[in-house]
Amino acid sequence: MTSGSTGQAGPGRGDSQGEKGGFRTALAGLTTRGRSFLAAGIAAAICAYVLGQADLLRVGMLLAVLPLVCAAVLYRTRYRVAGSRRLSPARVPAGSEARVHLRMDNVSRLPTGLLMLQDRVPYVLGPRPRFVLDRVEAGGRREVSYRVRSDLRGRYPLGPLQLRLNDPFGLCELTRSFSTYDTLTVIPRVEALSPVRFSGEAKGYGDGRQRSLALAGEDDVIPRGYRYGDDLRRVHWRSTARYGELMVRREEQPQRSRCTVLLDTRGLAFQGAGPDSAFEWAVSGTASVLVHMLERGFSVRLLTDTGNSVPGEGADGFAGANQESADAAGLMMDTLAVIDHSDGTGLSRAYDVLRGGHEGLLVAFFGDLDEEQATVAAKMRHRSGGALAFVLDSETWVREPNDVPAPMNRTEERLRMLREAGWTALSVPRGAPLDDLWRRADRERTGVVTASGKAGS
């Protein structure tokens, strides 16, 4: 991801009104040292006039004129510098580092003096980077880089890039800004998951409905035009005679297994905030399952309690194959990077989307569930080939380790309701690794669980 902008580091010449305004800007750029020189020179000149000391007057005039001359020279400097920024990478998981590369090109015919670069970054990404560049020859360039890191997901603007010009004495300083900026996307952490097989997967890539149509008879065949390299044994002669061109039978379309990942974003279902909160664990878990399922060849979509789905409701609402899957994965990660609590109070909208008849695996991350919402969640299982639920009790996440544990009767009751409806439902302890729960869910689904409720070895 690269952006750039070209501008003039020093102000250009204009009419008399522009000259006066620009010079006033240059005077406003006097540093503390420059203002001190100017004040000392004026004071010395006044004292010399009162005392009649010609030598002191000359010293005072030198002190007062020097910062004015520096401001005028700096104002007249005509540097033309092009700046560009490149992020590597532009999308980074929370807690990981990205590197920002800055490049400055001197596009004028004159060499520059000392240049000071400063890039604007949000405080969550670290301190504001500053660089000092030595003299850049005509047509030359300089490259610098710095690192940024955030434990909080989101989209953070970088820029605009600022260029500061100083005179050799440090009496005056002018700042010029480029107009462009870039955006760093910090996505949720993704945890690698073990390859387990849940119910709801398709039996293979060749057992689709298209094959059944092809075997039903000649009238059900949907031909297409011949393409170079097609097997001549697939030529459909009846369609060839009808259309007057060579036609072949369509190849069997593979059926991809489907998976819907449901994320509960209700604000009242989660307590606490920050990277270690229950909601952030749910978002990270959602991202991990999405990536894992896409890598296994599933057609995947992201669904929230508001009924909104990603990549959208085009066609069947699921991500396609190959490049479409990569684009959909990026879209879902970008959505999770900025997702926040919703104002909703229930899961009915998500249930309305799920009861549309899309079969496949359903993986849900729920917050606190009351009896009514647990009933709605239980009914979602009826339209799914397999269902796995991670239920986060927010009270266990905000409670300090030394606090007395709260009774788990309510959480256990919600889990029982989900399990009776056919869900594989697990309670999520504070800070539990998702992969451990993922493998435990597979063992519970296959019945390898001890009578005490703990997964067997």
Side-chain angles (χ1 to χ4, degrees):
M1 181 176 184
T2 304
S3 70
S5 105
T6 302
Q8 187 172 306
R13 298 184 177 90
D15 55 19
S16 59
Q17 186 175 358
E19 289 275 345
K20 294 178 181 179
F23 191 69
R24 282 196 297 267
T25 302
L27 290 178
L30 289 177
T31 62
T32 301
R33 180 186 301 177
R35 296 175 186 274
S36 300
F37 268 63
L38 183 60
I42 294 175
I46 294 176
C47 292
Y49 177 77
V50 173
L51 301 176
Q53 296 290 329
D55 294 337
L56 182 59
L57 179 60
R58 286 190 289 269
V59 173
M61 292 181 61
L62 176 62
L63 293 177
V65 170
L66 183 59
L68 299 179
V69 172
C70 290
V73 172
L74 195 61
Y75 167 70
R76 291 287 181 176
T77 302
R78 296 179 60 85
Y79 298 149
R80 295 186 64 245
V81 181
S84 63
R85 181 190 298 104
R86 178 171 56 87
L87 306 182
S88 177
R91 184 187 290 118
V92 62
S96 301
E97 290 184 345
R99 184 167 289 275
V100 183
H101 301 269
L102 302 177
R103 172 176 165 176
M104 302 301 298
D105 294 89
N106 183 12
V107 297
S108 64
R109 298 181 179 179
L110 299 175
T112 69
L114 191 67
L115 300 178
M116 299 182 64
L117 289 181
Q118 177 177 275
D119 206 9
R120 290 187 178 181
V121 299
Y123 71 95
V124 296
L125 297 182
R128 181 169 295 182
R130 295 180 174 88
F131 304 94
V132 178
L133 301 182
D134 293 332
R135 177 179 178 272
V136 182
E137 64 279 4
R141 66 186 178 191
R142 297 289 186 272
E143 295 184 5
V144 293
S145 64
Y146 63 93
R147 294 177 295 180
V148 291
R149 179 181 181 274
S150 175
D151 292 327
L152 300 175
R153 56 185 175 82
R155 293 173 61 86
Y156 301 102
L158 300 178
L161 184 65
Q162 292 182 331
L163 184 64
R164 296 166 57 187
L165 304 176
N166 292 77
D167 67 282
F169 302 101
L171 302 179
C172 186
E173 176 182 284
L174 292 182
T175 302
R176 293 292 179 265
S177 297
F178 294 94
S179 59
T180 59
Y181 65 93
D182 292 290
T183 301
L184 175 68
T185 302
V186 180
I187 61 176
R189 295 184 181 93
V190 175
E191 182 177 349
L193 301 180
S194 301
V196 299
R197 183 179 179 87
F198 294 102
S199 60
E201 301 183 23
K203 296 180 182 297
Y205 281 77
D207 296 330
R209 178 174 177 268
Q210 192 73 20
R211 181 174 181 178
S212 300
L213 288 177
L215 297 177
E218 288 292 321
D219 294 337
D220 292 327
V221 174
I222 304 177
R224 61 168 175 82
Y226 174 83
R227 298 171 186 168
Y228 179 77
D230 284 339
D231 190 347
L232 293 178
R233 290 175 296 181
R234 301 184 65 87
V235 174
H236 191 250
W237 298 107
R238 180 178 297 181
S239 298
T240 299
R242 179 184 303 175
Y243 295 105
E245 60 177 325
L246 200 59
M247 306 292 289
V248 297
R249 296 182 180 88
R250 289 182 182 271
E251 296 179 357
E252 177 185 346
Q253 299 297 322
Q255 177 182 345
R256 305 184 80 208
S257 302
R258 292 177 174 178
C259 176
T260 298
V261 184
L262 172 61
L263 175 61
D264 183 5
T265 64
R266 296 172 299 141
L268 54 81
F270 296 93
Q271 302 178 28
D276 299 326
S277 65
F279 182 68
E280 292 301 322
W281 190 97
V283 174
S284 177
T286 300
S288 301
V289 173
L290 288 172
V291 172
H292 177 72
M293 289 303 178
L294 284 172
E295 290 177 349
R296 294 190 60 188
F298 277 67
S299 293
V300 180
R301 69 172 172 179
L302 168 64
L303 180 66
T304 66
D305 59 289
T306 61
N308 297 325
S309 62
V310 180
E313 291 299 339
D316 57 3
F318 288 82
N322 301 329
Q323 184 60 36
E324 293 182 5
S325 291
D327 296 339
L331 180 59
M332 287 186 282
M333 290 297 110
D334 289 343
T335 301
L336 290 176
V338 296
I339 200 168
D340 202 354
H341 293 294
S342 69
D343 297 330
T345 58
L347 302 171
S348 58
R349 294 183 180 178
Y351 171 70
D352 292 339
V353 175
L354 290 172
R355 71 178 182 180
H358 295 299
E359 300 293 337
L361 178 64
L362 173 61
V363 182
F365 292 84
F366 294 119
D368 294 330
L369 296 173
D370 56 24
E371 184 176 358
E372 178 182 358
Q373 300 310 316
T375 303
V376 175
K379 292 189 295 184
M380 295 178 183
R381 170 64 179 83
H382 298 161
R383 288 290 182 177
S384 172
L388 170 62
F390 298 97
V391 182
L392 292 88
D393 184 2
S394 296
E395 293 183 0
T396 63
W397 285 73
V398 298
R399 188 187 309 116
E400 294 297 330
N402 296 329
D403 293 346
V404 178
M408 298 294 293
N409 295 337
R410 187 185 65 175
T411 302
E412 292 298 332
E413 175 64 20
R414 305 298 180 253
L415 293 175
R416 183 189 62 79
M417 294 176 62
L418 294 176
R419 288 164 181 164
E420 289 179 352
W423 286 81
T424 301
L426 297 178
S427 177
V428 180
R430 181 176 180 177
L434 177 60
D435 186 54
D436 293 347
L437 297 174
W438 186 257
R439 288 184 281 109
R440 179 186 171 188
D442 179 55
R443 291 193 295 267
E444 290 197 4
R445 182 188 63 84
T446 55
V448 188
V449 180
T450 62
S452 61
K454 296 182 180 180
S457 58

